[in-house]
Amino acid sequence: MPWWTPSNEVQVMAHAVDQYGERWRSSVTFITTPDGHLNLGRQAPLSGSYRGIDPGGLLCSLRPRPDLSPAYFEPSPGGYDVTVSVTLGGALLSQTSTHRLMCSPDLHKASVRERELVGTLFRPPSAQTLRRACIRLGGSEGGLYDTEGAHLASEGFMVFSLAYFGVPDTELPNQLINIPLEYFQRALAFLQAQPEVAGRRVGITGASKGGEAALLIVATFPDAIGAVAAFSPSGLIFEGIDRTGTFPAGQAMSSWSLDDQPLPYLAYRTDWDALFAEPGPFSMTPAHWEAVAAASPQEVAAATIPVERIDGAVLLVSGEQDQAWQATALSRRVEERRKQANLPAQHLWHPRDGHALSLPGLPTYTSVPWTAMGRDDDANARLQFEGWQARLETLSAAWY
């Protein structure tokens, strides 16, 4: 785009407002070309909110006011407005606004409250060819979060966005403790019973504790699932989480159960009172490695997810600076176990990425007071995009 200011420093700024009314901003400095042009898809900024050539850098590097915590960008369901302005020496050269949709406006959305299931079923627009079908799981935050499900459905997938704990006024448990795997089995049967699926195998995707769940579910019910995409996951089963008190509270219990029996797990050995007495945010990674180190080899083996049972495509996406539980090392356990069984697994990872890998084009910045996420924002933005593309390809392999 021409600015008629050849070889000058210009400031490019963006701002957007999330659904809570918080304003997020980014700003970078560029040098225009000798003929007075600026192309964010071909030029790297001199300085500012992001580094390197990234046409989506202004969006991914949006940040809130420094004192906002917790802070993560949650757009309104109908999308959000972005305003971009260009200034030279403080003088406004140009400004424009656009509305970014979070999903196709023609999606078919239905609340599911049957067979004791709690979720939302998304279908792509009627005119769009069905790409595949999958279940989407959230993490240890609990509840029902549909944004990612709607995003996947906009790409042509039928998506069952499934809650498994922490939804008020439902029969779901309040805490992530002894969640029965039979619940997910019912969800798989529900999705497979949809006329468009007609009994074929489906995909499953989840992040963080939902990534642990996704790997465990497909290893338990391989006949129903043909592909898994796990983001910031674990190949080990860790202790359940009771959020009514400290983390965790009370007697140690498993996260999952099968046939009314808790599955083996690695118990936390951390002194949580001592940890939380220090100024936050707190890295949770040491607590997970203490749990692994304190367990016997037999206990670790029993808590290891048998990923060699997975009959289909496996995608793992992780960051080595993960401060929640170091998902890269935990994902490598999955890779190694698959390798020992002469089975493939695709693992996308980056040494500077953290735990929170959101949707492409959304701000990478995340801040919560109870734990550090760990990340290099520029690296996270690139892995978000690459991981999203790989997720679409992986889930598309569910039917074959």
Side-chain angles (χ1 to χ4, degrees):
M1 56 183 70
W3 301 118
W4 300 283
T5 56
S7 303
N8 273 315
E9 286 192 14
V10 295
Q11 287 70 49
V12 183
M13 295 162 284
H15 74 261
V17 178
D18 65 20
Q19 70 167 326
Y20 305 109
E22 294 289 347
R23 188 176 296 273
W24 293 59
R25 303 176 186 272
S26 60
S27 177
V28 284
T29 299
F30 285 92
I31 290 230
T32 56
T33 62
D35 59 355
H37 284 73
L38 182 62
N39 188 327
L40 273 63
R42 295 183 179 179
Q43 294 173 245
L46 292 177
S47 60
S49 302
Y50 71 92
R51 304 184 301 270
I53 298 173
D54 186 351
L58 281 172
L59 297 178
C60 294
S61 63
L62 288 165
R63 285 192 170 217
R65 54 186 168 88
D67 61 337
L68 181 65
S69 183
Y72 50 91
F73 189 85
E74 190 168 344
S76 298
Y80 62 102
D81 295 324
V82 180
T83 299
V84 179
S85 57
V86 182
T87 63
L88 173 63
L92 182 65
L93 296 179
S94 181
Q95 181 172 285
T96 187
S97 296
T98 186
H99 184 73
R100 289 180 57 84
L101 295 173
M102 291 306 299
C103 63
S104 169
D106 300 323
L107 291 182
H108 302 280
K109 176 181 176 180
S111 177
V112 176
R113 299 291 189 275
E114 60 179 86
R115 305 183 195 178
E116 299 180 350
L117 300 173
V118 177
T120 306
L121 184 64
F122 292 97
R123 285 181 165 88
S126 302
Q128 191 171 356
T129 301
L130 182 64
R131 192 165 178 172
R132 293 296 186 271
C134 68
I135 286 177
R136 187 268 172 190
L137 303 173
S140 61
E141 72 279 1
L144 182 59
Y145 183 65
D146 286 341
T147 301
E148 189 173 287
H151 213 69
L152 279 167
S154 299
E155 298 280 0
F157 291 87
M158 178 185 291
V159 183
F160 189 14
S161 180
L162 182 68
Y164 52 98
F165 80 101
V167 181
D169 302 321
T170 69
E171 296 182 2
L172 293 183
N174 291 324
Q175 309 301 336
L176 207 173
I177 293 173
N178 288 335
I179 305 296
L181 295 188
E182 289 87 351
Y183 175 80
F184 302 103
Q185 188 178 33
R186 293 197 301 273
L188 289 166
F190 170 81
L191 186 57
Q192 289 182 297
Q194 301 306 308
E196 302 94 323
V197 182
R200 288 178 286 189
R201 296 205 296 173
V202 300
I204 191 167
T205 183
S208 190
K209 197 66 176 181
E212 175 189 308
L215 291 170
L216 177 61
I217 293 162
V218 67
T220 307
F221 309 114
D223 292 342
I225 306 174
V228 56
F231 283 61
S232 302
S234 169
L236 298 171
I237 299 173
F238 285 98
E239 181 179 334
I241 300 172
D242 183 345
R243 294 197 181 279
T244 57
T246 57
F247 174 100
Q251 181 180 356
M253 289 178 279
S254 183
S255 297
W256 321 105
S257 69
L258 182 64
D259 297 327
D260 294 323
Q261 297 299 314
L263 294 184
Y265 64 95
L266 299 179
Y268 296 120
R269 310 301 176 105
T270 299
D271 184 338
W272 300 105
D273 291 335
L275 176 64
F276 293 149
E278 300 295 327
F282 316 96
S283 173
M284 304 296 291
T285 291
H288 288 87
W289 291 122
E290 288 171 11
V292 175
S296 68
Q298 294 79 14
E299 289 172 325
V300 173
T304 298
I305 298 173
V307 293
E308 68 278 4
R309 298 180 187 171
I310 299 174
D311 179 21
V314 176
L315 171 67
L316 312 162
V317 182
S318 71
E320 202 163 29
Q321 294 304 312
D322 186 333
Q323 296 302 306
W325 62 4
Q326 228 303 327
T328 296
L330 293 170
S331 294
R332 285 177 179 148
R333 288 176 173 263
V334 175
E335 278 190 291
E336 182 60 30
R337 195 169 178 105
R338 295 280 292 177
K339 182 179 179 181
Q340 290 175 357
N342 294 316
L343 295 170
Q346 181 184 7
H347 185 191
L348 301 179
W349 66 279
H350 195 284
R352 299 196 310 273
D353 276 336
H355 185 76
L357 294 167
S358 64
L359 296 172
L362 288 181
T364 60
Y365 181 82
T366 301
S367 174
V368 293
W370 51 88
T371 185
M373 292 290 105
R375 70 188 175 280
D376 176 294
D377 286 335
D378 294 328
N380 252 40
R382 287 166 177 76
L383 190 59
Q384 282 180 183
F385 177 79
E386 294 172 5
W388 179 257
Q389 297 302 315
R391 171 158 34 190
L392 299 180
E393 294 173 6
T394 299
L395 295 176
S396 293
W399 298 347
Y400 55 86

